[in-house]
């Protein structure tokens, strides 16, 4: 299987995070009900928009570091950070799914973060 280079991986990773950041900021009333969550006041909507800060931040950092030198200390730290961030995503969203906070499409979040964590781990291994 052909290895994906750092630049392509980081552009794809950042694009996915950017799409979710934009959607959760501008379309929270459409996005969250698909996961079984109900936004019943302006504070819940704001929390969704606030969450976009972090998703967008991950997207921005990945995009800014898209030309990181393969095998460098910076690449190692970047992919370690992305992997650990995605593992944290697995833990939080799996908890939401198991406790039935997330229902409906909610099962997809732990699967998404698992995929991103595995891909980040593979890039980490490639950059040792």
């Amino acid at each position: 299987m052909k290895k994906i280079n750092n630049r392509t991986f980081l552009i794809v990773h950042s694009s996915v995070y950017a799409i979710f950041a934009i959607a959760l900021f501008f379309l929270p009333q459409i996005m969250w009900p698909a996961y079984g969550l109900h936004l019943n006041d302006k504070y819940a909507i704001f929390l969704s928009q606030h969450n976009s800060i972090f998703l967008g931040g991950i997207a921005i950092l990945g995009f800014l570091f898209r030309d990181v030198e393969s095998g460098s200390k910076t690449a190692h730290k970047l992919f370690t950070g992305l992997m650990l961030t995605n593992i944290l995503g697995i833990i939080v969203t799996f908890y939401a799914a198991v406790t039935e906070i997330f229902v409906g499409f909610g099962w997809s979040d732990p699967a998404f973060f698992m995929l991103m964590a595995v891909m980040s781990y593979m890039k980490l291994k490639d950059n040792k």
Side-chain angles (χ1 to χ4, degrees):
M1 182 161 89
K2 185 178 177 187
K3 292 182 181 178
I4 186 171
N5 66 40
N6 289 350
R7 181 181 176 80
T8 301
F9 174 81
L10 289 169
I11 289 171
V12 170
H13 190 279
S14 295
S15 297
V16 170
Y17 271 83
I19 289 166
F20 276 97
I22 291 166
L24 291 178
F25 187 86
F26 291 107
L27 305 169
Q29 294 96 333
I30 294 171
M31 293 294 293
W32 288 120
Y35 291 85
L37 298 175
H38 303 284
L39 303 179
N40 43 357
D41 61 23
K42 65 183 180 182
Y43 304 105
I45 292 170
F46 171 73
L47 285 175
S48 178
Q49 293 169 329
H50 189 270
N51 189 47
S52 296
I53 296 167
F54 307 106
L55 295 174
I58 293 168
I60 290 166
L61 289 172
F63 184 74
L64 290 173
F65 281 92
R66 70 190 179 278
D67 293 320
V68 68
E69 185 178 332
S70 187
S72 68
K73 185 182 270 190
T74 301
H76 186 266
K77 288 180 179 182
L78 176 62
F79 291 117
T80 299
L82 292 176
M83 181 187 67
L84 293 174
T85 298
N86 287 306
I87 289 171
L88 183 59
I90 294 167
I91 294 166
V92 171
T93 58
F94 182 75
Y95 169 79
V98 168
T99 59
E100 298 181 355
I101 294 169
F102 275 0
V103 296
F105 199 60
W107 61 267
S108 68
D109 262 27
F112 162 76
F113 283 113
M114 178 67 77
L115 173 65
M116 298 303 266
V118 167
M119 291 176 62
S120 296
Y121 174 74
M122 291 168 53
K123 289 308 301 169
L124 179 60
K125 280 182 32 180
D126 289 347
N127 280 278
K128 282 193 176 184

